[in-house]
Amino acid sequence: MSDDHAPLLSGLSEAEARVRLKSEGFNELPHPDRRTALRIVFEVLREPMLALLLGGGAVYLLLGDVKEAVILLVFAGLSVLITVVQETRTERVMEALRDLTSPRALVIRDGVRARIAGREVARGDLVVLGEGDRVPADAALVQAQDLQADESLLTGESVPVRKALSIGTRTSLSRPGGDDLPFVYSGSLVVRGSGIAEVIATGPRSEIGKIGQSLHTLETEPPRLKAQTARLVRLAALGGLVVSLAAVALYGALRGGWLDAVLAGIAIGMAMLPEEFPVVLTVFMAMGAWRLSRARILTRRASSIETLGSATVLCTDKTGTLTENRMTIAELRLPDGAFFRAGDKAETTVPGQFRELAAHGLLASAPEPFDPMEKAFHAFARSELNAVEGPPGLGWTLAHSYGLQPDLLAMTQVWRTDARASAFLVAAKGAPEAIAGLCRLDETGLDAVRQSVDAMATEGLRVLGVARARHDGGRLPDSQTEFRFEFLGLVGLADPLRSGVPDAVRECRSAGIRVVMITGDYPATARAIARQAGFADDNVLTGDALASLDEAELMLRVRSASVFARIMPEQKLRIVQALKADGEIVAMTGDGVNDAPSLKAAHIGVAMGGRGTDVAREASSIVLLNDDFGSIVVAVRLGRRIYDNLRKAMGFIFAVHVPIAGLALLPLVFGLPILLGPIHIAFLEMIIDPVCSLVFEAEKEEDDVMRRKPREPDQPLFSWPLIGWSVIQGALAFGLVAAIFLLGLNRGMPEDEVRALTFFSLVVSIISLILVNRSFSASLMTAILGHNPSLGWILLGVGAILAASLFWPWLSALFAFGPLYGHDFAVTLAAGTVVLLVLELIKPLWRKRLRS
């Protein structure tokens, strides 16, 4: 920098910095309030379904029905506890994932360099940047020495970009991305060189801050299942109220005891109160989140699990999501066109000429690299050239370096040995056209280089040229152009695909999920990665083409496009919104700040937890802690399994309530002895809730869970085929048990014996309904013998209580049961067996409808 610019190096004064921080705020993004356990409790208590559960318990407590009140309140308390524990654990993990402090920054204030917290950087500060530094704020360069920055978090491009000095005014920023811009951006990483930059935007006014601010204008998708279940609860509660009023009217009209009529109506209302639905939904979602956490998948909102199971389109970023976000040497190509592909199993060692090409590429790199491409040369040397570090050979020392220049995109390293101090080995690498110019290639040589570069670029490779020279004499030239270089060849570098991505993409496609890549990288690179990943790459839409489309045209294009390249952050958001407008259920994966708006706008935002930014994680609903794209398939599989099992549980609940309500109403209609009292209903509820919460939740997935198409977005949880199937199950069980009840009375059995016989038959029939509903497709033997430890424990518990209610006098008196004999037990088992066999025989007729 010249002397007339020297005053800039004094920077802000401490007093000026304090004034600007006070007026403009600290250099940090708005931090969302941490959800405490108490806040989570209040959020849970505001849920209408849980409020219904607690309200029902409170009403029964006021009416003096302590048993039912305790049962309802215990279930309510358990559901609250499970939700609070899961949500609190999630918040703790998210807190650990966030950066605990902002990166520190080296600034010049009052002419003195000082290291301060990044949040204390003010507009106008001079920031000193070096290799490995994280840029603390958006700034304009006033000094730069071979400066390159990795802006992938903002642009999605994995290759670092060159920086140039700012010329003229520095009051406005251009967008990040592209070479030779005079600006550096908050959150980017300096990978080469050094510089000094004047801060012109901090906090929410920076590029990263603008993205964060845009998140506040986006509303996250409400959970569909929650809304459907709420409607289902309202309908069931209304139906229960109607039946209870009808029971009161029938009892009072037929028997004249209106007080007893009210009590009978309350008992029937208790039998039909849909408290199982919210409990089951809460437990299923909480247990699903727990199961995902075991696979290193963090669920920020449990309701997103079932939504992921219904996803029809998976939009994925390329850098850091499909790829590893690191550069590797993929191909070496000689001047004659011969090439060597790294990782080729046919070649166990790198041939001689290719070794020389790679070795000189290493010599042209920094000994301790920050640049990802230079790291790739070092990694290749360690793995393929058997070099531990630095240049091949012993005693080499770096004598001089020639850096990149805007007019010459090449860098040169000069090496010498102790043996001949006046003899130098010179190695250069850079843009192929720049290296070709240094080598003074003729037109034929230039054409050969261009053809090789085009062939390699078609494969999505970042291409560098490599050259060497010898220099004898003590004095080195002022410019690298004065060496007599020999062209050695080209090196192709790529950001490698994650190993599990092709299998994950294949499984997504078999599950009817379309995979779409949205990236800021170039079309050729995006197309190459798409080809390696295994999804269609022939329909590429670029950001420039997308910008010319209106919303209707874009909605048509997103139906067929599978790769979107050179896309800006706001265009990612447009793509997601267009897919949603077209009726798709959109899952969006990403790790960068540039992904955050689209993560939040999607039905399901899936962020990478290891490489991802805190902004991306905050905007998402699911975080992959191990950054494994294949984990998305695990989440989809589990989401579908949860939804299937939830439908089984809901169908079972509906089916069970049919015989319970029928047996409660039957004596009222025909003037028979009252069969079910509050204690019997309480016992039945003790069977239903654990069965739904433990047995059905633990059922393994259906065999075709990842071979069927995603369900329709507007498909209700409780479809008409499922309602019909539940009614058939319940009606069959009710018919058999009612027949046993009536036959027992006709045979003159005592009332308490009839009650015991009927109740035992009902419980055995309910167990048969459990077995029937375990699977929509499995065989009878699988339904009976399929592995589910929870089922065994539940059946043992039910059997123990039934035995106690029959043989323990105190409990037998409480249930008003009389003794049962051998032939009575045979009748109960026969009833359960008939229910099981008949339903298993007719299940195939409903199988296809139940899957739809």
Side-chain angles (χ1 to χ4, degrees):
M1 178 174 286
S2 59
D3 292 338
D4 57 341
H5 288 92
L8 282 175
L9 293 178
S10 63
L12 292 178
S13 67
E14 287 291 343
E16 289 174 320
R18 283 195 297 271
V19 169
R20 293 192 179 184
L21 288 173
K22 185 175 181 180
S23 62
E24 299 178 6
F26 286 104
N27 178 37
E28 59 187 0
L29 299 180
H31 197 286
D33 294 334
R34 190 176 186 275
R35 296 166 71 234
T36 64
L38 185 60
R39 178 177 170 185
I40 294 171
V41 169
F42 282 128
E43 290 179 0
V44 174
L45 291 178
R46 286 202 303 266
E47 295 297 329
M49 290 183 291
L50 188 60
L52 177 64
L53 199 61
L54 293 171
V59 168
Y60 293 130
L61 190 61
L62 291 174
L63 291 173
D65 199 331
V66 178
K67 294 184 180 68
E68 278 297 327
V70 169
I71 290 172
L72 292 178
L73 293 176
V74 166
F75 280 127
L78 285 175
S79 64
V80 171
L81 180 63
I82 291 171
T83 304
V84 170
V85 168
Q86 176 61 32
E87 295 283 352
T88 303
R89 177 184 176 279
T90 297
E91 290 298 322
R92 282 201 304 268
V93 177
M94 288 304 302
E95 197 71 20
L97 284 172
R98 293 191 190 104
D99 293 330
L100 297 179
T101 58
S102 58
R104 296 185 66 79
L106 183 62
V107 299
I108 302 175
R109 286 188 180 171
D110 293 317
V112 179
R113 294 191 178 195
R115 194 165 292 277
I116 63 174
R119 68 189 299 269
E120 296 176 2
V121 172
R123 182 176 56 84
D125 263 325
L126 291 179
V127 180
V128 181
L129 302 172
E131 289 185 351
D133 286 343
R134 184 74 64 180
V135 179
D138 291 359
L141 290 167
V142 295
Q143 284 188 9
Q145 178 64 38
D146 191 18
L147 186 66
Q148 293 185 22
D150 178 356
E151 297 176 352
S152 60
L153 294 181
L154 290 165
T155 65
E157 296 182 36
S158 56
V159 178
V161 292
R162 298 186 308 272
K163 297 297 177 182
L165 287 178
S166 174
I167 300 175
T169 180
R170 296 189 294 271
T171 58
S172 61
L173 283 165
S174 61
R175 299 297 297 272
D179 290 320
D180 299 325
L181 291 177
F183 304 107
V184 289
Y185 301 89
S186 177
S188 59
L189 180 69
V190 178
V191 297
R192 178 191 290 280
S194 60
I196 297 176
E198 181 182 350
V199 174
I200 57 179
T202 62
R205 292 167 292 280
S206 64
E207 287 297 311
I208 192 173
K210 291 174 183 176
I211 295 175
Q213 291 290 96
S214 70
L215 297 179
H216 295 292
T217 65
L218 298 173
E219 293 293 332
T220 55
E221 285 291 323
R224 295 168 181 259
L225 188 57
K226 198 173 187 179
Q228 290 180 13
T229 310
R231 288 195 299 270
L232 187 62
V233 167
R234 287 194 296 269
L235 290 174
L238 181 61
L241 177 62
V242 171
V243 173
S244 296
L245 293 176
V248 172
L250 281 172
Y251 197 106
L254 296 176
R255 306 196 182 196
W258 288 101
L259 181 58
D260 290 337
V262 172
L263 294 176
I266 291 175
I268 292 174
M270 290 163 52
M272 301 191 65
L273 188 69
E275 71 270 15
E276 299 94 353
F277 293 135
V279 172
V280 167
L281 179 61
T282 301
V283 171
F284 269 55
M285 294 300 106
M287 290 297 294
W290 174 75
R291 293 184 186 279
L292 280 174
S293 70
R294 298 178 66 188
R296 303 281 295 160
I297 303 170
L298 174 68
T299 308
R300 299 196 70 241
R301 293 293 178 268
S303 59
S304 61
I305 298 172
E306 60 86 17
T307 312
L308 186 55
S310 66
T312 58
V313 175
L314 174 57
C315 299
T316 175
D317 185 36
K318 178 185 75 67
T319 305
T321 305
L322 292 176
T323 65
E324 298 179 2
N325 199 20
R326 64 179 181 88
M327 301 302 291
T328 60
I329 291 179
E331 184 177 307
L332 303 172
R333 189 174 289 243
L334 300 178
D336 62 3
F339 60 85
F340 170 82
R341 289 198 171 94
D344 190 345
K345 295 181 180 179
E347 297 281 356
T348 56
T349 60
V350 181
Q353 286 183 288
F354 296 104
R355 290 177 64 88
E356 190 174 11
L357 170 60
H360 282 81
L362 174 65
L363 286 168
S365 303
E368 298 181 358
F370 281 93
D371 185 288
M373 288 188 288
E374 294 193 339
K375 287 182 178 180
F377 278 98
H378 280 258
F380 188 82
R382 287 193 297 270
S383 63
E384 302 291 343
L385 305 182
N386 299 319
V388 178
E389 58 179 316
L394 299 174
W396 293 86
T397 57
L398 183 62
H400 189 68
S401 295
Y402 299 88
L404 290 168
Q405 300 295 329
D407 57 344
L408 181 59
L409 301 180
M411 65 173 294
T412 299
Q413 303 275 61
V414 182
W415 300 86
R416 65 182 175 189
T417 66
D418 295 335
R420 294 184 59 193
S422 61
F424 298 90
L425 174 64
V426 185
K429 75 175 189 312
E433 62 274 13
I435 295 297
L438 288 176
C439 296
R440 301 174 178 84
L441 296 182
D442 57 21
E443 195 60 37
T444 302
L446 286 174
D447 285 341
V449 170
R450 292 190 192 103
Q451 291 177 12
S452 294
V453 169
D454 290 342
M456 297 170 76
T458 302
E459 297 299 319
L461 301 179
R462 173 86 169 189
V463 184
L464 295 177
V466 177
R468 70 178 175 187
R470 294 278 180 178
H471 181 75
D472 294 313
R475 182 180 178 278
L476 293 173
D478 295 330
S479 171
Q480 54 189 318
T481 58
E482 299 179 35
F483 293 108
R484 297 185 62 83
F485 282 104
E486 173 192 357
F487 185 70
L488 294 179
L490 301 171
V491 178
L493 299 103
D495 184 3
L497 190 75
R498 292 180 182 272
S499 59
V501 166
D503 290 339
V505 170
R506 193 158 42 246
E507 193 159 5
C508 284
R509 294 179 66 180
S510 70
I513 302 172
R514 184 161 66 100
V515 183
V516 171
M517 181 198 299
I518 306 176
T519 178
D521 221 330
Y522 292 92
T525 304
R527 186 179 282 111
I529 291 295
R531 191 179 307 118
Q532 295 173 35
F535 55 88
D537 64 342
D538 54 344
N539 195 337
V540 179
L541 182 64
T542 65
D544 290 340
L546 187 149
S548 64
L549 302 177
D550 60 26
E551 301 307 319
E553 292 171 330
L554 179 59
M555 190 171 71
L556 291 176
R557 289 297 304 274
V558 297
R559 292 178 180 176
S560 56
S562 55
V563 177
F564 297 84
R566 301 301 288 168
I567 299 296
M568 298 301 291
E570 65 273 12
Q571 291 179 323
K572 288 188 178 185
L573 181 59
R574 282 191 65 198
I575 293 168
V576 169
Q577 291 173 331
L579 287 167
K580 289 170 62 179
D582 198 33
E584 305 283 4
I585 301 297
V586 183
M588 172 74 191
T589 72
D591 63 347
V593 175
N594 61 317
D595 299 320
S598 48
L599 285 172
K600 187 171 183 179
H603 293 99
I604 315 106
V606 184
M608 300 297 176
R611 298 177 186 267
T613 61
D614 54 355
V615 174
R617 291 191 290 265
E618 289 293 344
S620 66
S621 50
I622 290 176
V623 180
L624 306 183
L625 297 179
N626 55 4
D627 284 358
D628 184 1
F629 180 81
S631 296
I632 299 172
V633 178
V634 174
V636 170
R637 178 187 297 273
L638 186 56
R640 292 189 173 191
R641 166 185 162 179
I642 289 172
Y643 190 82
D644 280 350
N645 289 345
L646 189 59
R647 294 182 73 224
K648 295 171 188 175
M650 296 297 188
F652 169 75
I653 292 171
F654 196 105
V656 166
H657 276 281
V658 172
I660 293 175
L663 291 174
L665 283 170
L666 181 65
L668 298 177
V669 175
F670 294 100
L672 302 174
I674 298 298
L675 182 65
L676 298 179
I679 188 62
H680 306 103
I681 296 172
F683 177 77
L684 294 173
E685 298 291 347
M686 290 175 65
I687 297 176
I688 296 171
D689 283 307
V691 164
C692 293
S693 300
L694 298 177
V695 175
F696 287 114
E697 192 282 327
E699 284 296 329
K700 68 177 185 178
E701 68 267 13
E702 299 284 324
D703 292 337
D704 66 342
V705 69
M706 293 300 287
R707 296 195 303 271
R708 71 175 90 124
K709 294 181 179 180
R711 67 180 185 274
E712 293 297 326
D714 56 351
Q715 177 183 331
L717 172 65
F718 227 114
S719 62
W720 286 112
L722 183 60
I723 293 174
W725 177 235
S726 299
V727 170
I728 289 174
Q729 296 179 74
L732 177 61
F734 170 66
L736 285 173
V737 176
I740 292 172
F741 173 55
L742 295 174
L743 286 174
L745 291 176
N746 288 336
R747 287 177 52 195
M749 291 179 62
E751 184 177 319
D752 55 354
E753 291 185 18
V754 172
R755 179 178 293 107
L757 177 62
T758 306
F759 189 81
F760 271 57
S761 300
L762 175 60
V763 171
V764 173
S765 297
I766 290 175
I767 292 173
S768 296
L769 294 181
I770 296 172
L771 299 177
V772 169
N773 284 281
R774 288 186 64 190
S775 173
F776 291 137
S777 59
S779 66
L780 176 60
M781 293 306 296
T782 303
I784 297 174
L785 302 177
H787 180 70
N788 188 335
S790 300
L791 176 60
W793 287 109
I794 291 292
L795 294 182
L796 282 176
V798 171
I801 297 175
L802 282 178
S805 70
L806 196 61
F807 300 113
W808 184 15
W810 180 86
L811 195 57
S812 179
L814 183 65
F815 278 90
F817 284 166
L820 293 180
Y821 305 99
H823 62 277
D824 295 323
F825 290 112
V827 169
T828 62
L829 291 175
T833 302
V834 170
V835 169
L836 179 61
L837 293 177
V838 171
L839 292 176
E840 284 294 332
L841 286 173
I842 66 175
K843 184 192 292 185
L845 302 176
W846 289 83
R847 185 172 298 159
K848 185 175 181 180
R849 298 178 185 177
L850 291 173
R851 295 290 185 80
S852 62

